[in-house]
Amino acid sequence: MERPARLCGLWALLLCAGGGGGGGAAPTDTQPPVTNLSVSVENLCTVIWTWDPPEGASPNCTLRYFSHFDNKQDKKIAPETHRSKEVPLNERICLQVGSQCSTNESDNPSILVEKCTPPPEGDPESAVTELQCVWHNLSYMKCTWLPGRKTSPDTNYTLYYWHSSLGKILQCEDIYREGQHIGCSFALTNLKDSSFEQHSVQIVVKDNAGKIRPSFNIVPLTSHVKPDPPHIKRLFFQNGNLYVQWTNPQNFYSRCLSYQVEVNNSQTETSDIFYVEEAKCQNSEFEGNLEGTICFMVPGVLPDTLNTVRIRVRTNKLCYEDDKLWSNWSQAMSIGENTDPTFYVSMLLATPVIVAGAIIVLLLYLKRLKIIIFPPIPDPGKIFKEMFGDQNDDTLV
């Protein structure tokens, strides 16, 4: 009885395995391609592709869509029938989409369908070059560019910008020229929140007449950030060390900044630069000071000489992707004693006058000085003549 039962159980397992294999074979077959693939552009640089599910897909297939951009970049498998990307439209962007029944990239998708954005209109050499934007102190953005090689000198440029906090595309009004560069600045303060690192600003520069090719740029708000200079509050010496206290520029947290402290010594005429990642001082002198001040101790500074200090800051990679843009130097502050230069200046001015006066006096009294220094030797003949000349005359008479 046991043996037939075992045979029946084995046969049942084989039937189940065969049924499962037959039921799962259909979804692994190649599916039909997607339909009605289209592309559109929102805002300035947001490209959206949409498509419909394939016709005649297997009913046992849970459709997934495999898509990637040119050169098989940014591969993605998802159930949504749309895909978007924020990309500068300075050239044609293409997306290829196919359908499949699993999330495994190794499965064969359907025939890939491709849809591209139209290329920008205009001569490529008429587009502006070196389009760069910097976010200054998280307050305003400044964009600069150079005219294209095939552009009229009297071209009137227009800059448009958009970000997620705006309801519509805005035009930059403050366009100016700095030498060969052309620039425009606009306020950018509404994105200072906990998720600003997820935002970016879309930029396009073109002309009013439509004669030049538009130039696009996308500026992530985690890069190209330039803080304002810090403000030095006080300097003081203690135990042979120089303590520097300053306040950070507004809109920045201390943990998001790195510092550079420069100390110039008047005696050695050297400049020492200290790189500071975390500025802290354990000193009772700073107790009771306002919150938000930063302190750094500079060792080995001579207190009996004049020391001039200045500071600059930059963003670090703890909060931002870019750490290349230093702020301008802060206003310098000095401490220590310096020898009064008035005496040396007076001596430098008086020495030529004294030398000139001495030369004039020497020239005026040169003969007298010559007689004093080199007295004349007496003439014996003259002396005898003076002595006996009168006597001879009397004798003759």
Side-chain angles (χ1 to χ4, degrees):
M1 293 295 292
E2 294 180 359
R3 190 170 183 177
R6 291 180 179 178
L7 291 175
C8 289
L10 181 61
W11 180 249
L13 290 173
L14 291 174
L15 287 176
C16 291
T28 59
D29 294 338
T30 302
Q31 300 300 313
V34 300
T35 58
N36 299 327
L37 177 60
S38 62
V39 62
S40 61
V41 178
E42 291 185 358
N43 308 319
L44 293 175
C45 301
T46 305
V47 186
I48 301 176
W49 287 267
T50 59
W51 58 86
D52 293 333
E55 297 178 355
S58 173
N60 298 325
C61 175
T62 302
L63 282 173
R64 297 291 185 270
Y65 300 99
F66 173 79
S67 61
H68 64 77
F69 295 96
D70 299 336
N71 300 325
K72 297 184 178 181
Q73 296 178 352
D74 297 335
K75 295 180 181 179
K76 182 179 180 181
I77 300 176
E80 293 83 12
T81 58
H82 61 85
R83 186 171 181 182
S84 62
K85 186 176 183 180
E86 202 174 38
V87 57
L89 297 176
N90 296 316
E91 56 185 12
R92 191 177 67 165
I93 307 296
C94 298
L95 179 73
Q96 294 182 349
V97 184
S99 62
Q100 60 186 49
C101 292
S102 71
T103 58
N104 191 355
E105 187 178 336
S106 62
D107 289 350
N108 292 326
S110 68
I111 298 175
L112 297 179
V113 182
E114 184 180 67
K115 190 69 175 181
C116 303
T117 60
E121 298 180 355
D123 188 352
E125 293 189 354
S126 66
V128 302
T129 59
E130 300 185 18
L131 176 58
Q132 298 178 351
C133 298
V134 177
W135 195 10
H136 288 264
N137 208 54
L138 306 183
S139 299
Y140 69 96
M141 182 164 285
K142 178 180 178 181
C143 299
T144 59
W145 63 87
L146 287 173
R149 288 186 293 179
K150 293 184 178 180
T151 307
S152 174
D154 58 350
T155 301
N156 293 321
Y157 295 95
T158 304
L159 185 145
Y160 296 95
Y161 64 95
W162 179 89
H163 54 79
S164 59
S165 297
L166 296 177
K168 60 180 181 179
I169 299 172
L170 297 182
Q171 179 181 347
C172 182
E173 303 291 345
D174 185 20
I175 292 184
Y176 54 88
R177 290 182 178 268
E178 291 181 348
Q180 296 182 349
H181 284 82
I182 304 172
C184 191
S185 301
F186 54 90
L188 185 62
T189 57
N190 294 335
L191 300 182
K192 186 179 180 294
D193 53 35
S194 58
S195 60
F196 80 95
E197 66 273 4
Q198 302 175 1
H199 298 283
S200 59
V201 181
Q202 300 178 7
I203 304 290
V204 62
V205 178
K206 55 186 179 179
D207 66 330
N208 298 330
K211 295 182 179 179
I212 69 171
R213 184 171 182 167
S215 183
F216 298 85
N217 192 11
I218 296 178
V219 185
L221 295 184
T222 54
S223 63
H224 300 86
V225 178
K226 183 177 181 179
D228 281 349
H231 173 68
I232 302 177
K233 293 188 65 176
R234 61 181 297 208
L235 306 173
F236 71 93
F237 285 103
Q238 189 175 62
N239 298 328
N241 299 317
L242 172 62
Y243 288 86
V244 185
Q245 186 182 18
W246 69 88
T247 55
N248 283 328
Q250 294 181 353
N251 306 327
F252 288 94
Y253 300 105
S254 299
R255 59 183 176 86
C256 297
L257 297 175
S258 298
Y259 310 91
Q260 196 177 65
V261 180
E262 181 188 68
V263 181
N264 291 292
N265 187 275
S266 62
Q267 181 176 356
T268 60
E269 297 183 355
T270 58
S271 177
D272 297 325
I273 296 179
F274 301 87
Y275 292 91
V276 184
E277 294 296 333
E278 185 177 4
K280 289 183 178 180
C281 287
Q282 300 296 333
N283 194 294
S284 59
E285 291 285 341
F286 293 108
E287 294 181 358
N289 287 331
L290 296 176
E291 186 179 356
T293 57
I294 309 299
C295 171
F296 178 67
M297 183 190 71
V298 183
V301 178
L302 300 176
D304 55 347
T305 59
L306 183 67
N307 296 278
T308 303
V309 180
R310 58 180 187 167
I311 308 170
R312 63 178 181 174
V313 301
R314 68 180 178 186
T315 56
N316 58 31
K317 291 192 175 181
L318 182 63
C319 304
Y320 300 89
E321 295 179 0
D322 188 7
D323 61 349
K324 305 298 182 183
L325 292 177
W326 285 100
S327 71
N328 297 330
W329 287 104
S330 67
Q331 290 187 353
M333 182 177 287
S334 300
I335 188 173
E337 297 180 357
N338 190 21
T339 305
D340 188 5
T342 306
F343 175 76
Y344 296 100
V345 173
S346 301
M347 289 298 298
L348 289 175
L349 296 176
T351 300
V353 176
I354 294 173
V355 173
I359 293 173
I360 294 173
V361 171
L362 290 175
L363 292 175
L364 292 176
Y365 295 93
L366 182 60
K367 292 183 178 181
R368 183 176 297 181
L369 290 174
K370 184 177 179 181
I371 295 173
I372 296 173
I373 297 174
F374 303 105
I377 300 174
D379 186 3
K382 188 176 181 180
I383 293 175
F384 280 107
K385 185 177 180 180
E386 290 178 354
M387 292 176 61
F388 301 105
D390 297 337
Q391 296 178 5
N392 292 334
D393 293 339
D394 294 340
T395 305
L396 292 174
V397 171

